[in-house]
Every structure is written in structure tokens, then in C-alpha cells.
């Protein structure tokens, strides 16, 4: 009898989760938020940050119970489907914040002449727009990966109508989106 090692390994590791902090594996992990600066070393959204030494931002992490205690994670014990639901909700919140920023919030952060308030960020500060829009596109790509996981694993997508609402808002603002037309 010939053993298919790739299939055997995939079967053993299917539905296993890995602690982002220590690498421990399990069928359930604590999924939640922390403001501990040390968690910036492994939190997914913090990977691109350059200065992680004094980060007090709220970080979404997936950790084992001992690491949850160490990093003071406010979260719940979840399986893979629960974790993926939290991840897609977090991605959606980030996308909504991003589009809100592109629509209006930028006017509160940079000095804009009153006469330019009716213009879009792309007209007032094309470089800042390019940076913010590329962040939004990365989030949209992440959303599509998460969405694909739900489909491939036959797990119902939480709040399936969110995507069409978001898409209409983005298109209404005059921007393109990877999430639909």
C-alpha cells in the first residue's frame, strides 16, 4: 500500500490553528484584541509597521491560552470558523474606515482651503490618495481571500449583504473596487 504523505499531513493539520505568538497548534485558540506593545511583533496588521517598540494600537491576535494571559488578550476561545468570522469582520471594519477616510476624514487631517473642500483627495493630494487607495486595495484583496475560504470550506458567510453595500458606496464615490461592479 502506498501512502499519500501530502494528503495525510493535510488531513492531520486540517482545522488546526497556530498561535501567532509561540507557534503552538490546536483546534481552538483565543481570538481577540490587545494593546500590549510586544504583540506588535506577531499581530498580522502590524507586520508592515517599522517602529513596534511602543505600539499602543488595538491589535487583533490569535493566540493560545498561555499567550492570551501573557499578552492580556481580550478575546474568546474559538475554532477555525469562528476565527475566520472575526477576521472577515475586522477586514470589513478596516475597509469601511478606509473608504470613510477617502470620502471625508482626510479633510480633518490635512490643511485644506475651504474652496477645495468639495474636491476629492485624489485632486487635492494625489500622493496621499495613492497611498490610502493602495491600502484599501490590499484590504480588498484580503477580503477576497477570506471570502474564498468561506466558500471553499462550505461555511456560511456572515452578513453576506455587506459586500454589495460596500461596493455601491465605493462606486458612488467614483472609485473602483475589486469586490464587484
Amino acid at each position: 500500500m502506498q501512502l499519500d504523505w501530502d494528503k495525510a499531513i493535510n488531513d492531520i493539520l486540517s482545522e488546526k490553528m497556530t498561535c501567532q505568538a509561540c507557534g503552538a497548534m490546536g483546534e481552538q485558540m483565543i481570538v481577540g484584541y490587545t494593546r500590549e506593545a510586544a504583540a506588535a511583533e506577531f499581530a498580522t496588521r502590524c507586520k508592515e509597521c517599522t517602529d513596534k517598540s511602543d505600539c499602543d494600537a488595538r491589535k487583533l491576535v490569535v493566540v493560545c491560552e498561555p499567550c492570551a494571559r501573557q499578552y492580556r488578550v481580550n478575546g474568546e476561545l474559538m475554532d477555525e470558523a469562528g476565527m475566520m468570522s472575526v477576521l472577515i469582520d475586522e477586514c470589513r471594519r478596516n475597509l469601511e474606515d478606509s473608504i470613510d477616510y477617502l470620502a471625508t476624514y482626510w479633510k480633518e487631517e490635512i490643511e485644506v482651503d475651504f474652496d477645495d473642500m468639495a474636491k476629492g483627495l485624489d485632486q487635492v493630494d494625489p500622493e496621499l490618495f495613492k497611498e490610502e487607495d493602495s491600502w484599501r486595495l490590499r484590504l480588498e484583496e484580503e477580503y477576497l481571500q477570506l471570502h474564498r475560504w468561506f466558500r471553499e470550506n462550505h461555511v456560511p458567510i456572515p452578513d453576506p449583504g455587506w459586500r454589495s453595500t460596500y461596493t455601491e458606496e465605493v462606486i458612488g464615490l467614483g472609485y473602483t473596487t475589486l469586490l464587484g461592479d
Side-chain angles (χ1 to χ4, degrees):
M1 179 171 111
Q2 187 116 14
L3 185 61
D4 183 349
W5 286 105
D6 287 337
K7 183 181 179 326
I9 290 171
N10 286 337
D11 288 345
I12 292 168
L13 297 178
S14 70
E15 298 181 22
K16 295 279 187 203
M17 299 165 57
T18 304
C19 174
Q20 292 174 324
C22 72
M25 293 183 72
E27 291 181 14
Q28 293 187 322
M29 291 283 161
I30 302 288
V31 180
Y33 294 89
T34 182
R35 290 190 183 273
E36 290 289 319
E41 292 300 324
F42 57 83
T44 303
R45 289 269 193 268
C46 298
K47 286 188 187 234
E48 294 180 19
C49 296
T50 53
D51 183 15
K52 299 177 184 182
S53 60
D54 197 23
C55 177
D56 67 348
R58 193 169 181 246
K59 300 167 239 354
L60 177 62
V61 295
V62 178
V63 292
C64 63
E65 290 187 60
C67 289
R69 266 188 218 93
Q70 178 182 348
Y71 294 104
R72 298 177 27 129
V73 176
N74 177 21
E76 294 180 33
L77 191 61
M78 295 183 183
D79 63 6
E80 186 179 29
M83 174 194 70
M84 294 304 285
S85 293
V86 170
L87 293 177
I88 202 165
D89 285 344
E90 174 74 5
C91 187
R92 287 172 173 167
R93 275 192 294 280
N94 282 271
L95 278 165
E96 289 167 354
D97 289 347
S98 177
I99 202 65
D100 287 344
Y101 183 85
L102 288 172
T104 60
Y105 293 167
W106 63 271
K107 295 174 187 176
E108 300 164 11
E109 290 189 6
I110 63 175
E111 284 193 33
V112 181
D113 291 334
F114 184 78
D115 295 336
D116 289 338
M117 288 280 200
K119 294 180 181 176
L121 179 60
D122 54 329
Q123 297 168 314
V124 175
D125 190 339
E127 283 302 311
L128 180 57
F129 172 79
K130 184 178 176 183
E131 181 181 321
E132 291 297 326
D133 196 47
S134 69
W135 167 246
R136 180 181 62 88
L137 291 174
R138 281 195 307 266
L139 286 170
E140 287 184 357
E141 288 169 356
E142 179 182 329
Y143 179 86
L144 291 172
Q145 289 175 342
L146 293 166
H147 192 275
R148 195 172 306 117
W149 181 90
F150 281 92
R151 291 282 191 245
E152 289 170 356
N153 289 278
H154 309 289
V155 176
I157 295 168
D159 189 13
W162 177 89
R163 184 174 176 170
S164 61
T165 302
Y166 169 83
T167 299
E168 289 304 317
E169 184 177 355
V170 171
I171 291 171
L173 291 169
Y175 302 124
T176 59
T177 176
L178 301 174
L179 301 188
D181 187 0

